[in-house]
Amino acid sequence: MQKFVKSFMADESGATAIEYGLIAALIAVGIITAAGALGNKVSNNFNSVANAM
């Protein structure tokens, strides 16, 4: 039983998976923020062109 507990405590594969998940979530938040800002700028440009016509 002690060997099982020691090997369980030494196993870091779960922690690695959580870290990769957090990194992926941060990247996704960055992409969503950038896409939102870009979308607003494109929309403003289209509105300016439409108003000029």
Side-chain angles (χ1 to χ4, degrees):
M1 184 67 173
Q2 283 182 330
K3 288 183 182 181
F4 173 74
V5 172
K6 285 182 182 179
S7 66
F8 181 75
M9 295 298 287
D11 185 19
E12 295 183 2
S13 61
T16 303
I18 291 171
E19 290 169 355
Y20 283 133
L22 289 173
I23 291 169
L26 289 173
I27 290 171
V29 167
I31 289 172
I32 291 168
T33 303
L38 180 64
N40 288 336
K41 287 183 180 183
V42 170
S43 177
N44 289 339
N45 285 341
F46 277 120
N47 287 335
S48 296
V49 169
N51 290 335
M53 294 176 111

